[in-house]
Amino acid sequence: MKTFKIATLLTLTVAMAGCNTMDRLANVGNAPPLTQIQDPTAMAGYQPVRMPMPEPIADTYQANSLYRTSAKGFFKDERAHRVGDIVTVKVTVDDSAKISNSTNRNRSSTNSAGMGGIFGAAVDNLSGGAIDPSAAIDLTSGTNDAGAGSVNRSEALETSIAAVITQVLPNGNLVIEGRQEVRVNFEVRDLIVSGIVRPSDIQANNTISSTKIAEARISYGGRGQITDVQQPRYGQQVLDAILPF
């Protein structure tokens, strides 16, 4: 059964590799295509955010008011607060971590035993004097374990991206998601930001810092010729997945 699974995996891999190869050959000399603009909630894999919420507070209305709550005016707060509104996210990531661990353990033991009397004489006669009966048994053991590990990591990213409010939670918090694609020559850089923000954290100029985003998901990557060269070949990836050593 295991052999059948491996054979099936190899067959599917070869088939997928063949399709990928044909697609790449068909696009030789062409720049990577940009994805079409679409509703984030209609994309595959999108899931509405559901979290524990307090009881919703009913809106109150003032009688004989000169302004409508939905009207746009000079004195109205223009910060994003409704589904479909746009807010600018200032992405600032400056993290570093440095960890170093070292472990060393040693153990040694020596045991010796001798035999005298009739047993010692028997050993001496049988060995012709080659074995000393006083040290007929000699046991020596020892272990030496050493380990060392270190982590030295640093990330820095500073940019801005416009995100769209995709959901307003019952407590008033806003779910945002923003995607940005920039193509330079034959390389496309992707920036994705999503999470939950408080309306009060949005500044008067309709911007918010990425440090104010709860459940933040920030992805910065690329696709194209440079990224393709940096990735191992699909054959190597298959071997890394199935080989036990």
Side-chain angles (χ1 to χ4, degrees):
M1 180 63 68
K2 187 175 182 180
T3 304
F4 176 75
K5 290 182 178 180
I6 295 176
T8 303
L9 177 62
L10 291 175
T11 302
L12 294 175
T13 303
V14 172
M16 294 174 62
C19 296
N20 185 39
T21 302
M22 296 302 297
D23 292 339
R24 293 179 60 185
L25 291 176
N27 293 322
V28 169
N30 297 327
L34 299 176
T35 57
Q36 296 181 353
I37 299 175
Q38 54 184 323
D39 183 1
T41 61
M43 297 178 62
Y46 176 82
Q47 294 291 336
V49 178
R50 293 182 176 88
M51 302 185 71
M53 293 292 134
E55 292 295 330
I57 300 175
D59 293 334
T60 58
Y61 301 92
Q62 298 294 333
N64 301 324
S65 176
L66 297 177
Y67 300 96
R68 292 182 292 110
T69 56
S70 60
K72 293 183 178 180
F74 181 78
F75 298 102
K76 188 176 180 61
D77 189 358
E78 295 295 333
R79 290 179 294 184
H81 63 282
R82 297 175 301 178
V83 174
D85 288 351
I86 297 176
V87 59
T88 301
V89 180
K90 293 184 177 180
V91 181
T92 303
V93 178
D94 190 5
D95 295 334
S96 62
K98 189 174 183 180
I99 304 173
S100 179
N101 294 320
S102 178
T103 303
N104 192 0
R105 183 180 64 179
N106 293 291
R107 184 182 67 179
S108 62
S109 63
T110 301
N111 300 305
S112 61
M115 293 180 293
I118 187 172
F119 293 104
V123 172
D124 185 58
N125 291 332
L126 291 175
S127 63
I131 299 178
D132 184 5
S134 64
I137 301 176
D138 189 4
L139 301 176
T140 302
S141 64
T143 60
N144 186 1
D145 297 329
S150 63
V151 175
N152 191 356
R153 185 190 68 203
S154 178
E155 294 91 13
L157 174 64
E158 186 173 354
T159 185
S160 297
I161 180 175
V164 178
I165 297 176
T166 60
Q167 189 178 356
V168 178
L169 299 179
N171 65 343
N173 288 343
L174 310 174
V175 180
I176 63 172
E177 181 172 349
R179 301 174 62 93
Q180 184 184 87
E181 295 183 357
V182 180
R183 185 176 66 191
V184 180
N185 295 334
F186 290 87
E187 187 73 12
V188 175
R189 288 298 175 186
D190 298 326
L191 176 61
I192 302 175
V193 176
S194 62
I196 304 173
V197 301
R198 296 188 306 174
S200 58
D201 289 332
I202 301 178
Q203 302 297 317
N205 59 352
N206 202 38
T207 62
I208 188 172
S209 173
S210 60
T211 58
K212 302 292 186 180
I213 302 177
E215 296 296 326
R217 302 293 185 268
I218 301 175
S219 173
Y220 183 77
R223 51 190 170 89
Q225 293 182 350
I226 298 177
T227 303
D228 183 66
V229 172
Q230 292 176 338
Q231 297 295 325
R233 298 290 86 190
Y234 58 84
Q236 181 179 348
Q237 297 182 27
V238 172
L239 292 179
D240 290 340
I242 64 177
L243 289 180
F245 50 83

